[in-house]
Amino acid sequence: MDEQIETLRKYMEESKKTVAITGAGISYLYGVGRLKQQTSRAEMTSKLSPRYVKKNPDEFYALMKDAFLDATFEKGPGPVHKQLVELEKKGLLQGIITQNMDCLHTAAGSTNVVEFQGSFADNVCVDCGKRYNDYTVWGHGEIPRCPECGGPLMPANFNRRASGHDSEFKDRMEAAADMLSDAELVIVIGTTGFLSEEYMYRMNPQARLVQINPSPTKFDQMATMNIHEDAEKVLGAILAEE
């Protein structure tokens, strides 16, 4: 692995714009992702609807707490989240695209993050429809409520998916595509797929793509280099030499 580490470090030093793409693999250790494992698709769809939140706000909060919020507010960002922040501070990373909605990148201190599936930072009142952009409202031990009308809040992307009209998803995809269009180095961490997502088609064709994942994934065939090791170990080695 030492030779691969040296190669990745060289790539990062040469790159004028490096973007990381992250998935659930960097959040699973902190409890994120259990929602899909605990419920059927039909039940999950029902419980993520505005109607359910309005009638059962405490139950909805308990579901979110177990699936996402404990990871964000009790266990906090993991080592990889923090390492990515350090790489940004050193000028070796310019942006992050993530499929995760847990806000752990933001909580860790990353400043340029595209959460293309939405996040707990983008919320809507199920009663009056007012929007609130602040993930910390979920960290007070109970469901957040609208300061205007007192109605319960829910992540806006859940609301739009329930209605079948997630028009802002296209905007998030466009932001991700813009980030990749002039990247010189793309580092894929902790995800097994989403290779078909729209933004991948806009990736700079001259960009190097390095995958860091212990197991083979859909990215193996297109990667300039595959490092089949834990991301914490790889990024830690990069930072240790800085």
Side-chain angles (χ1 to χ4, degrees), residues 19-77:
V19 175
I21 300 177
T22 69
I26 67 169
S27 295
Y28 275 144
L29 294 177
Y30 298 86
V32 172
R34 291 178 292 179
L35 179 64
K36 292 183 180 180
Q37 298 172 12
Q38 293 176 346
T39 60
S40 68
R41 180 178 293 273
E43 183 182 2
M44 182 172 67
T45 299
S46 174
K47 289 185 176 182
L48 299 183
S49 68
R51 178 178 297 181
Y52 182 88
V53 177
K54 190 169 185 175
K55 292 180 63 176
N56 307 281
D58 294 336
E59 288 83 352
F60 177 76
Y61 178 78
L63 187 66
M64 296 298 100
K65 183 177 186 299
D66 183 62
F68 297 102
L69 303 177
D70 282 350
T72 302
F73 295 104
E74 294 186 17
K75 298 177 181 177

Side-chain angles (χ1 to χ4, degrees), residues 12 17 23 30 41 78 113 146 148-150 156-157 168 179 197 214 223 225-226 233 239:
M12 297 183 79
K17 182 176 182 181
Y30 298 86
R41 180 178 293 273
V113 182
C146 174
E148 298 293 327
C149 73
N157 63 311
E168 294 177 28
M179 189 179 286
E197 298 293 358
M225 180 170 64
N226 290 294
K233 181 178 180 180
L239 288 166

Side-chain angles (χ1 to χ4, degrees), residues 29-135:
L29 294 177
Y30 298 86
V32 172
R34 291 178 292 179
L35 179 64
K36 292 183 180 180
Q37 298 172 12
Q38 293 176 346
T39 60
S40 68
R41 180 178 293 273
E43 183 182 2
M44 182 172 67
T45 299
S46 174
K47 289 185 176 182
L48 299 183
S49 68
R51 178 178 297 181
Y52 182 88
V53 177
K54 190 169 185 175
K55 292 180 63 176
N56 307 281
D58 294 336
E59 288 83 352
F60 177 76
Y61 178 78
L63 187 66
M64 296 298 100
K65 183 177 186 299
D66 183 62
F68 297 102
L69 303 177
D70 282 350
T72 302
F73 295 104
E74 294 186 17
K75 298 177 181 177
V80 176
H81 299 99
K82 296 174 183 177
Q83 288 167 335
L84 291 173
V85 174
E86 290 305 308
L87 290 172
E88 178 185 335
K89 290 179 179 178
K90 293 178 180 294
L92 296 175
L93 182 69
Q94 283 70 49
I96 296 173
I97 298 169
T98 185
Q99 67 181 19
N100 303 332
M101 61 176 292
D102 50 43
C103 296
L104 284 168
H105 285 300
T106 300
S110 292
T111 62
N112 188 20
V113 182
V114 175
E115 297 156 318
F116 71 84
Q117 295 203 77
S119 77
F120 282 88
D122 180 15
N123 302 292
V124 62
C125 174
V126 300
D127 286 345
C128 71
K130 188 173 179 61
R131 295 281 287 273
Y132 297 95
N133 295 305
D134 182 3
Y135 79 93

